[in-house]
mmCIF file of all heavy atoms in Angstrom:
data_model
loop_
_atom_site.group_PDB
_atom_site.id
_atom_site.type_symbol
_atom_site.label_atom_id
_atom_site.label_comp_id
_atom_site.label_asym_id
_atom_site.label_seq_id
_atom_site.Cartn_x
_atom_site.Cartn_y
_atom_site.Cartn_z
ATOM 1 N N HIS O 79 232.493 14.491 148.523
ATOM 2 C CA HIS O 79 233.512 13.459 148.707
ATOM 3 C C HIS O 79 233.637 12.584 147.452
ATOM 4 O O HIS O 79 234.731 12.374 146.934
ATOM 5 C CB HIS O 79 233.138 12.599 149.918
ATOM 6 C CG HIS O 79 234.145 11.555 150.270
ATOM 7 N ND1 HIS O 79 234.956 11.658 151.370
ATOM 8 C CD2 HIS O 79 234.478 10.386 149.657
ATOM 9 C CE1 HIS O 79 235.748 10.606 151.424
ATOM 10 N NE2 HIS O 79 235.473 9.808 150.408
ATOM 11 N N ARG O 80 232.526 12.121 146.961
ATOM 12 C CA ARG O 80 232.565 11.172 145.847
ATOM 13 C C ARG O 80 232.936 11.842 144.536
ATOM 14 O O ARG O 80 233.635 11.249 143.697
ATOM 15 C CB ARG O 80 231.233 10.426 145.768
ATOM 16 C CG ARG O 80 231.065 9.500 146.973
ATOM 17 C CD ARG O 80 229.754 8.736 147.041
ATOM 18 N NE ARG O 80 229.749 7.906 148.253
ATOM 19 C CZ ARG O 80 228.659 7.317 148.759
ATOM 20 N NH1 ARG O 80 227.490 7.443 148.157
ATOM 21 N NH2 ARG O 80 228.763 6.599 149.872
ATOM 22 N N GLU O 83 236.579 12.154 144.571
ATOM 23 C CA GLU O 83 237.217 10.859 144.316
ATOM 24 C C GLU O 83 237.254 10.560 142.817
ATOM 25 O O GLU O 83 238.266 10.080 142.288
ATOM 26 C CB GLU O 83 236.478 9.736 145.065
ATOM 27 C CG GLU O 83 236.782 9.712 146.555
ATOM 28 C CD GLU O 83 236.244 8.471 147.262
ATOM 29 O OE1 GLU O 83 235.385 7.760 146.682
ATOM 30 O OE2 GLU O 83 236.662 8.215 148.397
ATOM 31 N N VAL O 97 242.537 7.508 147.103
ATOM 32 C CA VAL O 97 241.724 8.716 147.045
ATOM 33 C C VAL O 97 241.009 9.092 148.344
ATOM 34 O O VAL O 97 240.692 10.259 148.570
ATOM 35 C CB VAL O 97 240.656 8.610 145.937
ATOM 36 C CG1 VAL O 97 241.328 8.467 144.582
ATOM 37 C CG2 VAL O 97 239.705 7.459 146.201
ATOM 38 N N HIS O 98 240.786 8.108 149.193
ATOM 39 C CA HIS O 98 239.867 8.365 150.303
ATOM 40 C C HIS O 98 240.344 9.471 151.254
ATOM 41 O O HIS O 98 239.590 10.390 151.595
ATOM 42 C CB HIS O 98 239.586 7.096 151.091
ATOM 43 C CG HIS O 98 238.504 7.272 152.098
ATOM 44 N ND1 HIS O 98 237.171 7.295 151.749
ATOM 45 C CD2 HIS O 98 238.552 7.493 153.426
ATOM 46 C CE1 HIS O 98 236.454 7.511 152.822
ATOM 47 N NE2 HIS O 98 237.261 7.637 153.868
ATOM 48 N N ASP O 126 231.027 6.722 142.200
ATOM 49 C CA ASP O 126 232.430 7.023 142.495
ATOM 50 C C ASP O 126 233.308 5.803 142.171
ATOM 51 O O ASP O 126 232.797 4.780 141.723
ATOM 52 C CB ASP O 126 232.558 7.533 143.941
ATOM 53 C CG ASP O 126 232.657 6.408 144.960
ATOM 54 O OD1 ASP O 126 232.617 5.226 144.592
ATOM 55 O OD2 ASP O 126 232.768 6.724 146.156
ATOM 56 N N PRO O 127 234.619 5.918 142.360
ATOM 57 C CA PRO O 127 235.507 4.811 141.956
ATOM 58 C C PRO O 127 235.258 3.512 142.714
ATOM 59 O O PRO O 127 235.716 2.457 142.284
ATOM 60 C CB PRO O 127 236.912 5.348 142.274
ATOM 61 C CG PRO O 127 236.769 6.823 142.279
ATOM 62 C CD PRO O 127 235.399 7.086 142.797
ATOM 63 N N HIS O 128 234.558 3.583 143.833
ATOM 64 C CA HIS O 128 234.265 2.370 144.585
ATOM 65 C C HIS O 128 232.860 1.849 144.309
ATOM 66 O O HIS O 128 232.377 0.947 144.982
ATOM 67 C CB HIS O 128 234.447 2.624 146.088
ATOM 68 C CG HIS O 128 235.729 3.314 146.407
ATOM 69 N ND1 HIS O 128 235.788 4.644 146.745
ATOM 70 C CD2 HIS O 128 237.009 2.875 146.383
ATOM 71 C CE1 HIS O 128 237.049 4.988 146.939
ATOM 72 N NE2 HIS O 128 237.812 3.946 146.727
ATOM 73 N N ASP O 130 230.089 3.564 144.659
ATOM 74 C CA ASP O 130 229.042 4.183 145.468
ATOM 75 C C ASP O 130 228.353 5.298 144.680
ATOM 76 O O ASP O 130 229.001 6.063 143.963
ATOM 77 C CB ASP O 130 229.652 4.758 146.752
ATOM 78 C CG ASP O 130 230.125 3.652 147.680
ATOM 79 O OD1 ASP O 130 229.364 2.697 147.889
ATOM 80 O OD2 ASP O 130 231.269 3.752 148.184
ATOM 81 N N SER O 164 236.709 0.188 151.685
ATOM 82 C CA SER O 164 237.547 0.997 150.796
ATOM 83 C C SER O 164 238.957 1.198 151.336
ATOM 84 O O SER O 164 239.647 2.135 150.957
ATOM 85 C CB SER O 164 236.892 2.366 150.538
ATOM 86 O OG SER O 164 235.802 2.227 149.664
HETATM 87 MN MN1 MN E 4 234.317 6.212 147.695
#
Side-chain angles (χ1 to χ4, degrees):
Chain O
H79 184 107
R80 292 178 180 166
E83 284 190 344
V97 298
H98 189 77
D126 84 359
H128 312 105
D130 291 313
S164 286

